[in-house]
Amino acid sequence: MFPARLLAGAPLALVILALSGCSSPWGCTDATAERGEAGVRVEIEDTSGRPLGVTAEVVDWRLGPHPQVPAEGDRVHFHYRFDGADEISGPGVDACAVDKDRVALGCQTVYSSGAWPEPDGALTGDDWLVVEHPEQVAGVLLIPNDQSYDGPTCEQDIKDGGGTHPPEPVGTGDQL
């Protein structure tokens, strides 16, 4: 079916492919983006720090019990707005309740795809943050780094992984 010369060269071809950059760990590197400056209104940026042309803003916030679990005490209820975002696959940012010193008390990621379209083209939504000491909350801040896509790492996929990934999520106690 195949000439003997072609079959004899097959192992050599496999060795060449195995040594090429396609399967080599030397070409795959991971990096983590630097966390941007938190604010009430932020220009969302990709992992390289370039603006996406989308802004996110905390419109307002208040303390109060969640209507579905009032016995659990006060939580932080906040409203947010995305301008310039795509309804379906738009960006996501970390939202954090902070104390007067801008220390994170509780955080979670909010996505523009989870918001509702407004007549002016903005996307708005609301969410709840759970914090251990709600009486310490002085505000809600957004981190400008887009959290909507974090591709595979080199460890997960040596061939297609690597590149710059969003910064580590903000944790309770982090200074913003």
Side-chain angles (χ1 to χ4, degrees):
M1 185 180 238
F2 291 106
R5 277 176 57 171
L6 182 64
L7 290 175
L12 179 61
L14 290 174
V15 168
I16 291 171
L17 281 175
L19 294 176
S20 73
C22 294
S23 63
S24 171
W26 304 306
C28 191
T29 58
D30 287 313
T32 303
E34 191 171 319
R35 186 180 297 155
E37 180 69 28
V40 172
R41 180 178 168 87
V42 296
E43 178 89 14
I44 301 174
E45 55 192 47
D46 65 14
T47 55
S48 65
R50 288 187 303 255
L52 295 178
V54 178
T55 58
E57 177 180 12
V58 175
V59 179
D60 65 24
W61 68 274
R62 66 174 176 78
L63 292 176
H66 190 289
Q68 294 175 337
V69 285
E72 292 182 5
D74 284 348
R75 295 184 178 186
V76 181
H77 185 209
F78 68 101
H79 290 86
Y80 56 89
R81 173 184 175 102
F82 286 91
D83 286 299
D86 181 331
E87 285 182 52
I88 298 170
S89 61
V93 293
D94 287 336
C96 298
V98 297
D99 67 11
K100 63 181 176 48
D101 296 321
R102 295 174 60 115
V103 173
L105 302 172
C107 302
Q108 70 180 40
T109 305
V110 292
Y111 298 91
S112 62
S113 59
W116 302 280
E118 297 292 332
D120 67 357
L123 299 170
T124 60
D126 72 306
D127 218 324
W128 297 81
L129 292 166
V130 177
V131 297
E132 190 172 336
H133 298 286
E135 70 280 358
Q136 294 179 354
V137 176
V140 177
L141 300 178
L142 302 174
I143 312 300
N145 306 89
D146 181 17
Q147 297 288 333
S148 65
Y149 176 75
D150 189 9
T153 64
C154 294
E155 186 176 289
Q156 294 166 327
D157 186 343
I158 194 76
K159 181 177 171 275
D160 297 320
T164 306
H165 302 279
E168 292 296 319
V170 178
T172 301
D174 286 359
Q175 177 74 47
L176 303 180

